[in-house]
Structure formats: C-alpha cells, structure tokens
Amino acid sequence: MIRIAPSLLSADFSDLRGELQSMKEAGADLLHIDVMDGHFVPNLSYGAPVVTHLSAHTDIPFDVHLMVTNPGDYIQPFAKIGTRMLSFHYEAPVHHDRLIHAIQDAGMQAGIVLNPGTPISVLDDVLSVVDYVLLMSVNPGFGGQSYIPYVTDKIARLAACRRERGLAFEIEVDGGVTPANADKIRQAGADILVAGSAVFRSDDRKATIEKLRGK
Ligand code: DX5
Ligand code: ZN
C-alpha cells in the first residue's frame, strides 16, 4: 500500500489550520513535517512548539523529518505530541544506533535519511533495526526543486537489498516527486512518497494525491 505524505513546507504558513483541513479532505495518509535548524541545512522552518499547536487540529499522523545538527534534542518534544514517525539524517549525528533506539523507545517509528550523494551501503548494519529509510531525491533545505534522476536506481537497489535480506523497513522518497515521475518511483520500490509543491500548488489536491498513488 503506497502512502502519500504531503510536505507542509509548501503550505500557506499564514493559514496552517486551513491547510490541515485541506489535507484531510484531499486524503493525505501522513503529514510530512520538515524541521530545519538553519545549521544542518541553510534554511529555517518550524520546530516542536509550532507542530504542537498543529497536532491539536488534525488526526493525520505526523511524519517528522529532522534536518538538524543535533537530532537527539528533538526526540522527547516530538514524542510528547504523539508523532508517529521521526527521521534524522545519517550525515548529522555520530551515534546512529543509539538514536534509532531512543526514537523507538520513545514510542515512535525511527527513520534514517540519506542525502542524494550518500551511498546506501552506509546503512548495511542498521537496516535490520530501522523502521524506514528516507531517500532524499533533492538536496535538503528547500521545497520546489527538481527530482535527481540517479535516485531511482538507489531506490531499486535498496528495495532489492530488502528483498534479499528478508527485511521489512519501508522506503520513503522525498524531493521533486510529481504525478509525472511518481510511477517510476513507486515501481522502483518506494512505499511512501513525500510531495510538497506538487500537492500544495495544485488546483485539485485530492486528484493530485490520487495520481501520486497511481490511481
Ligand atoms: C526538502 C524537504 C522536502 C520538501 C519537498 O528539504 O525535505 O520534504 O518539502 O518539497 P517538494 O515536493 O516541493 O520537492
Ligand atoms: Zn522532507
């Protein structure tokens, strides 16, 4: 079952409550929330205080993507508001295994994120403990960029490795996903598609989500 996670980064920030309602009506499976600290990536978005307020106004599960230098500091605040999925970048911390377990012990699904240029081989050992892998298909920091074509092969290799090893982690793809390229991303083996600008800038958000799903 393919799940679609619209990224709030492309929403109208002056009406986040209305945008949450719109995502509910459009049939979003998850809400992708990009947390940026202005240090790990050259942009600043929102943190736990804003997301805490949002959580009171929707029952769509949150898929929080931490683009921060110290992800460990964010585990408790996001656990407290009932976050379903929390991911951090492989490129940020040193103690990957410890962080994965800390996220899971706090009651969330733990994801590890790879920048486009980071090879999947670095995940060999943690693949057996992680709940999902998020493959970035743009360089993180901004919405509205173009999908990097070589990531499709990366998805396929990660899916093959999952099959060969009989593992159950999910594969999420984030960046430049549109109805035009979603088919090949799904066929390569992705389970969760993040889409920011494609959904929020579309005239018919529900139809766009259905197209991303392949319907
Ligand atoms: C980029 C973020 C993405 C972004 C995707 O750093 O991680 O989630 O919002 O936006 P689009 O779909 O517009 O590329
Ligand atoms: Zn993201």
Side-chain angles (χ1 to χ4, degrees):
M1 237 279 275
I2 298 286
R3 289 186 292 165
I4 307 301
S7 164
L8 216 56
L9 199 60
S10 295
D12 176 355
F13 284 8
S14 68
D15 180 24
L16 286 174
R17 201 161 160 178
E19 294 287 55
L20 292 179
Q21 185 56 33
S22 162
M23 285 303 106
K24 183 76 187 168
E25 286 159 13
D29 300 296
L30 296 163
L31 266 181
H32 185 80
I33 300 191
D34 290 299
V35 175
M36 304 177 179
D37 65 355
H39 184 260
F40 180 72
V41 288
N43 196 8
L44 202 57
S45 57
Y46 24 63
V50 171
V51 182
T52 300
H53 282 274
L54 295 179
S55 68
H57 297 286
T58 186
D59 60 1
I60 306 175
F62 287 175
D63 159 33
V64 175
H65 172 194
L66 298 176
M67 281 160 275
V68 302
T69 302
N70 296 308
D73 297 345
Y74 295 69
I75 296 175
Q76 286 313 321
F78 280 103
K80 231 198 241 163
I81 58 175
T83 298
R84 169 89 54 99
M85 302 166 68
L86 187 68
S87 61
F88 65 89
H89 273 256
Y90 170 82
E91 300 84 359
V94 181
H95 302 290
H96 303 103
D97 183 79
R98 176 186 291 158
L99 264 183
I100 291 165
H101 290 293
I103 293 170
Q104 292 168 338
D105 290 347
M108 298 175 283
Q109 292 170 18
I112 192 154
V113 189
L114 293 186
N115 279 332
T118 304
I120 55 175
S121 56
V122 298
L123 299 182
D124 272 358
D125 295 296
V126 293
L127 284 182
S128 58
V129 290
V130 89
D131 295 297
Y132 61 105
V133 174
L134 195 176
L135 293 179
M136 289 305 301
S137 39
V138 296
N139 289 297
F142 303 93
Q145 304 180 77
S146 299
Y147 183 85
I148 297 173
Y150 68 68
V151 176
T152 309
D153 181 59
K154 224 171 149 181
I155 303 166
R157 281 185 283 118
L158 186 60
C161 161
R162 173 172 63 180
R163 251 190 330 272
E164 281 155 22
R165 293 176 57 184
L167 295 172
F169 63 85
E170 290 192 288
I171 301 175
E172 178 169 20
V173 177
D174 181 10
V177 177
T178 68
N181 60 21
D183 278 0
K184 67 168 191 239
I185 297 170
R186 279 186 275 102
Q187 279 158 18
D191 308 290
I192 303 169
L193 304 188
V194 176
S197 45
V199 170
F200 282 96
R201 289 189 204 144
S202 120
D203 293 335
D204 187 342
R205 293 171 170 185
K206 191 180 171 74
T208 300
I209 287 177
E210 287 305 299
K211 278 186 210 148
L212 291 167
R213 246 189 254 289
K215 298 227 166 105

